[in-house]
Amino acid sequence: MAEFNQDVVFKGTETLLSDNLSATLIFITREKSEESITYNFNKVLLNQEVQDNFRKSFLGKIKRIRHSIYKINFEKYSPTNTSDCIKYVSDNEVEQKLLKINKDEVGPIKSNELNSGFFGNLWGYIVIFENNNNESLRIFKRYTPGNILRKSFLNALIIKDGTFTKLDKDIFKMDYKIHCFLFDGFVVIFAKRSFEELFELGDKFKKESKEVLDEINKTEVKISNWDDFKEKCCDNIIMMRKLSNIKAKGYYKNITFAQVQKMKKDYNLRFKIDKQNKIIIYQEYKDIWDILALFDDDLLKSELTQKKYEVSFKKER
């Protein structure tokens, strides 16, 4: 797999946005039940003025980034990476149904379908720019009901025949804040949380959390009050992100109780231990964070100062 090169990706994006382009907007609506999630897609063309405004706004952002590209931090996306930087991920690591939807297979939306029911289920939208060589750029935006100008709002007014009157239908408000975009095999992420919501990574985190917790429970190191520990972990999105990272790294597979004892002493971890039965004693909610930090290898010592740290992001050298 090709490595991410920010200069190549942003230069290519700028070149494409400077070309003669067509643009299609695809609405994503989402209905969720206990059994499944159903996505529906509808497309609409953008007239030249709207297309140009959107393109110029995004092109300006790309140019500003390119101007300072070697001063900006770019880091590979991971669930636990909370650093203030631009993140990226290979397109094959992201849900393909949303990422690579074929616009030619999506039906157009009718004006009478833009009703309160539609806006209530609106999950996001994709803007696809294409040139004559079929090169494309896909821009993704997570949408929320707060971005809809609803006819029920007291200040939702329009002038008709010289008189202010109430809106008679909800209005779609397009803004130009981009959450992520797809180009040349990589998704570039400006807004991590919105990216995770749009691509339903919360459900992925929960599934992976349950899987890795089941695997951890089979290791030498046991955790007391296991059912409650597992339930609490799977009810907190930050903990689930961390567990997803733990699963990906796999350090937990080789941890021994002797290492747990040493780490507890060296880093003053809050949980207690039962040495005889090789058990981590989970008693309080705050114990979970130290237990997860242990399994994610977040406890490190500086070679320079000999100080000990809990780190939220690691980059191997």
Side-chain angles (χ1 to χ4, degrees):
M1 183 179 68
E3 290 188 4
F4 178 79
N5 183 310
Q6 61 263 40
D7 196 37
V8 170
V9 170
F10 279 81
K11 182 178 180 180
T13 301
E14 181 179 339
T15 300
L16 182 64
L17 286 170
S18 303
D19 204 348
N20 293 320
L21 303 171
S22 63
T24 303
L25 185 146
I26 297 177
F27 287 117
I28 307 166
T29 54
R30 168 186 177 272
E31 297 181 54
K32 186 173 184 178
S33 66
E34 292 183 0
E35 293 78 24
S36 64
I37 297 173
T38 303
Y39 291 103
N40 290 298
F41 305 96
N42 298 96
K43 70 181 175 184
V44 60
L45 298 178
L46 304 178
N47 72 19
Q48 197 61 49
E49 182 180 10
V50 174
Q51 179 184 149
D52 286 345
N53 287 341
F54 200 103
R55 181 183 60 81
K56 289 175 182 178
S57 174
F58 189 50
L59 180 58
K61 181 180 181 73
I62 295 297
K63 286 182 175 180
R64 289 191 297 273
I65 292 173
R66 279 205 70 208
H67 182 72
S68 305
I69 200 157
Y70 293 110
K71 298 178 182 179
I72 298 173
N73 288 330
F74 292 84
E75 295 175 359
K76 190 177 188 305
Y77 167 81
S78 76
T80 55
N81 184 352
T82 57
S83 62
D84 185 17
C85 66
I86 298 175
K87 300 172 179 65
Y88 63 89
V89 64
S90 171
D91 61 1
N92 59 22
E93 297 180 50
V94 181
E95 169 60 49
Q96 300 295 296
K97 185 172 183 180
L98 295 186
L99 197 66
K100 297 184 178 179
I101 185 170
N102 186 341
K103 67 181 180 63
D104 295 326
E105 296 176 358
V106 177
I109 193 166
K110 300 175 182 177
S111 58
N112 62 0
E113 294 176 326
L114 294 172
N115 51 37
S116 58
F118 174 86
F119 287 127
N121 291 324
L122 186 57
W123 189 244
Y125 61 81
I126 308 166
V127 178
I128 303 175
F129 285 107
E130 284 185 321
N131 64 15
N132 294 330
N133 297 321
N134 292 322
E135 295 173 314
S136 68
L137 167 74
R138 293 175 178 236
I139 296 170
F140 298 85
K141 169 78 175 179
R142 168 76 170 97
Y143 218 66
T144 63
N147 295 121
I148 305 296
L149 181 58
R150 298 195 176 277
K151 62 183 180 182
S152 58
F153 291 173
L154 293 177
N155 61 349
L157 305 176
I158 191 172
I159 295 177
K160 286 185 178 179
D161 300 324
T163 303
F164 265 125
T165 185
K166 289 282 293 173
L167 285 178
D168 56 6
K169 59 183 178 181
D170 295 337
I171 300 295
F172 173 81
K173 298 189 296 180
M174 177 183 283
D175 64 51
Y176 299 116
K177 184 176 181 180
I178 304 304
H179 292 148
C180 58
F181 72 92
L182 169 65
F183 181 78
D184 198 28
F186 288 95
V187 181
V188 178
I189 303 162
F190 298 123
K192 178 174 179 280
R193 184 175 295 275
S194 296
F195 163 75
E196 290 174 344
E197 289 178 353
L198 183 62
F199 288 94
E200 295 284 3
L201 295 185
D203 290 344
K204 174 178 178 285
F205 295 155
K206 179 165 283 191
K207 178 177 180 293
E208 291 182 346
S209 295
K210 290 179 178 179
E211 290 173 353
V212 75
L213 284 168
D214 287 342
E215 292 175 18
I216 288 172
N217 197 34
K218 297 174 184 176
T219 65
E220 172 188 333
V221 180
K222 303 300 180 186
I223 300 171
S224 68
N225 301 315
W226 176 254
D227 289 341
D228 185 67
F229 177 83
K230 184 175 180 179
E231 181 181 347
K232 292 292 193 302
C233 285
C234 293
D235 195 40
N236 182 308
I237 185 64
I238 300 174
M239 290 180 181
M240 287 192 290
R241 287 192 187 106
K242 196 159 193 65
L243 283 161
S244 179
N245 205 54
I246 289 170
K247 179 178 172 64
K249 294 294 176 18
Y251 302 136
Y252 67 92
K253 296 176 182 178
N254 301 314
I255 195 168
T256 66
F257 191 75
Q259 289 173 320
V260 172
Q261 285 183 274
K262 187 176 187 307
M263 297 291 280
K264 173 177 167 47
K265 180 181 178 181
D266 290 351
Y267 290 87
N268 194 29
L269 301 179
R270 286 171 290 205
F271 56 78
K272 297 177 181 179
I273 57 175
D274 178 345
K275 296 180 182 179
Q276 183 176 354
N277 296 302
K278 298 183 177 181
I279 294 174
I280 294 175
I281 299 174
Y282 155 60
Q283 292 179 311
E284 301 180 67
Y285 190 79
K286 62 185 179 181
D287 292 343
I288 299 176
W289 296 110
D290 277 3
I291 295 170
L292 295 181
L294 178 70
F295 280 103
D296 201 23
D297 193 32
D298 287 344
L299 307 168
L300 304 174
K301 185 170 76 171
S302 167
E303 293 289 335
L304 180 65
T305 65
Q306 302 302 305
K307 289 184 178 180
K308 300 181 179 78
Y309 299 95
E310 179 179 344
V311 297
S312 59
F313 178 73
K314 302 183 291 291
K315 183 177 180 180
E316 291 188 14
R317 295 289 186 177

